[in-house]
Amino acid sequence: MTPLISRPVAGLAGEAAVPGDKSISHRSLMVGALAVGETTVRGLLEGDDVLRTGAALRALGAEVAREEGGVWRIRGRGVGGLSEPASVLDLGNSGTAARLLAGILATHPFTSFLTGDASLNRRPMSRVTRPLSQMGARFVSREGGRLPMAVIGAAEPVPITFELPVASAQVKSAILLAGLNTPGVTRVIEPQPTRDHSEIMLRHFGVTVAVEELAGGGRAISLTGEAEISGRSIQVPGDPSSAAFPLVAALIVPGSRITIRGVGVNRLRAGLYECLAEMGARLSFANRREEGGEAVADIVAEAGPLRGIEVPPERAPRMIDEYPVLAVAAAFAQGTTRMTGLAELRVKESDRLAATAQSLAACGVEVEEGEDWLVVKGREGEVAGGADIASRMDHRIAMSFLVLGTAARRPVRIDDASFIDTSFPGFARLMNALGADIAEDRRP
Ligand code: S3P
């Protein structure tokens, strides 16, 4: 347990770069392990979630090593070339690691066992095991399709066309990664577009990925399997989901102005930034560029008044990880913010809808919570704080409420901030360098 306390500060200033994108980091290691030859990754997120993926791939026979200067070098085994692991693969807190690896393992003809921590072992896996079973894999899981789970990979996988019942980039990616080692065309139909990092990464490695825009805004993504892919060099952009924390802090602490350099600004991740712009936030994007097919920019945030907005449900896939921190921004706004279409928040690292609503209420903010919606009554910059918040093994809940503490009347304490290291190692240090006051707090 690492309790942290965030005290109110006068203003944030300066420039920083956040750690690498979590989604892209997982994918760079996984696709690198399936390529022939050497892949080098710069800017990899060295958070526990991604390190778990690295360790799992090593157990499956790939060489994954960090070299001096922070460059990661992967010697892949080729598509279908991984080998049976000697022991259980423990994926810690990471849903992305568990679901994407389930996809890869589904078309390798051996048995492997996946497990995770108490949070991951509560999360639903049937969303991936259902389509992967249609491809020929078999799974033995706990009640309700939960980890620990055995994956018995298909020796003769068959390609499928699968329409996603929930908007999930993890499910899409699991199927596409399974499809890599399947003869014929594997096709995923997503009624609402989700983050396309797998498509971009696979293309970067030379796989032909066809994307068809469908009437009504959906997409059909297909690839032809049994592709030969060879190693590449990858630069991982800063994670927009991590950049969100210092940027929102700068928007709500009066007198602040900060720049976060080199942030990924893929438009399928940009929902939070769309919301903040509608709220009247002073946000600007400079030095726009492209790295490895991903859009990147420097983001400048300046404090100023915010107003409440209606967040439409169709925006959810573009900002699924950002609702807790958006709700914090909304607490400081003038007027009410209504967010709908939030059902997926209930099955993240914690029940994020309940965690956000209860933690805001503890900080003196009026909220209403429904099955899949949240209403936050903005307090025009006057948020009490002064609460002890349970992190619930959820990094984003911990960081969101430490951000709230920077701008509240009284400090906010998080009972266990250790999970922040899953996605944002160095969070408190980076925030403090910009002027926050976040410190360990060992009082009972
Ligand atoms: C991710 C997809 C999202 C997101 C998660 C990372 C990915 O999950 O919440 O943090 O890397 O594909 P879902 O696919 O469950 O929406």
Side-chain angles (χ1 to χ4, degrees), residues 22-23 27 96 99-100 123 127 167-171 173 195 320-321 344 348-349 352 396:
K22 181 156 71 70
S23 296
R27 288 158 171 81
T96 308
R99 298 200 178 111
L100 271 58
R123 300 179 64 184
R127 53 182 58 198
S168 166
Q170 292 178 356
V171 179
S173 302
R195 63 186 73 190
I320 196 64
D321 292 332
E344 277 292 297
K348 293 294 176 185
E349 285 82 331
R352 275 190 186 150
R396 298 201 200 280

Side-chain angles (χ1 to χ4, degrees), residues 55-74:
L57 293 169
R58 236 179 257 130
L60 290 161
E63 278 176 41
V64 181
R66 182 185 198 273
E67 303 199 334
E68 253 178 72
V71 179
W72 285 74
R73 208 169 287 280
I74 303 130

Side-chain angles (χ1 to χ4, degrees), residues 124-353:
M125 292 296 144
S126 49
R127 53 182 58 198
V128 288
T129 58
R130 208 169 298 128
L132 297 172
S133 300
Q134 291 175 18
M135 298 179 82
R138 286 180 296 140
F139 300 87
V140 183
S141 66
R142 286 194 308 134
E143 186 70 27
R146 320 224 168 216
L147 300 184
M149 174 171 90
V151 184
I152 305 152
E156 290 181 16
V158 290
I160 57 169
T161 292
F162 189 80
E163 181 165 341
L164 298 182
V166 283
S168 166
Q170 292 178 356
V171 179
K172 168 177 66 178
S173 302
I175 299 167
L176 293 176
L177 289 169
L180 263 190
N181 194 35
T182 302
V185 177
T186 295
R187 193 157 176 260
V188 181
I189 295 169
E190 44 178 18
Q192 285 179 284
T194 64
R195 63 186 73 190
D196 58 356
H197 302 303
S198 295
E199 295 89 311
I200 292 171
M201 181 69 64
L202 287 167
R203 280 200 187 120
H204 183 66
F205 274 84
V207 181
T208 305
V209 181
V211 178
E212 217 183 305
E213 305 283 344
L214 304 175
R219 288 181 167 187
I221 301 111
S222 40
L223 59 75
T224 304
E226 298 186 308
E228 264 289 295
I229 59 174
S230 50
R232 290 286 191 273
S233 129
I234 294 159
Q235 173 73 50
V236 181
D239 196 324
S241 300
S242 297
F245 299 109
L247 290 170
V248 167
L251 296 176
I252 61 178
V253 178
S256 302
R257 186 180 198 277
I258 66 162
T259 302
I260 305 295
R261 289 186 309 269
V263 185
V265 290
N266 181 316
R267 56 180 199 83
L268 293 171
R269 296 284 295 282
L272 172 72
Y273 299 101
E274 293 167 33
C275 292
L276 292 170
E278 290 169 9
M279 294 171 86
R282 296 178 185 156
L283 270 181
S284 56
F285 295 79
N287 197 10
R288 284 187 186 269
R289 53 208 187 267
E290 208 186 70
E291 285 167 8
E294 292 281 359
V296 178
D298 302 338
I299 308 181
V300 183
E302 201 174 329
L306 299 174
R307 53 180 181 272
I309 57 164
E310 303 272 335
V311 185
E314 61 274 12
R315 197 172 289 167
R318 296 202 296 283
M319 58 174 294
I320 196 64
D321 292 332
E322 278 65 76
Y323 284 101
V325 78
L326 174 69
V328 168
F332 287 84
Q334 179 195 31
T336 298
T337 295
R338 288 188 182 78
M339 310 167 211
T340 51
L342 310 188
E344 277 292 297
L345 292 195
R346 301 239 180 241
V347 291
K348 293 294 176 185
E349 285 82 331
S350 69
D351 176 346
R352 275 190 186 150
L353 189 40

Side-chain angles (χ1 to χ4, degrees), residues 6-27:
S6 175
R7 299 188 167 85
V9 290
L12 302 185
E15 284 194 27
V18 294
D21 188 274
K22 181 156 71 70
S23 296
I24 298 173
S25 294
H26 282 296
R27 288 158 171 81

Side-chain angles (χ1 to χ4, degrees), residues 55-61 82-90 105 108 110-114 151:
L57 293 169
R58 236 179 257 130
L60 290 161
L82 298 175
S83 41
E84 185 181 87
S87 191
V88 177
L89 305 175
D90 184 348
L105 295 169
H108 278 79
F110 53 74
T111 299
S112 34
F113 298 88
L114 309 184
V151 184

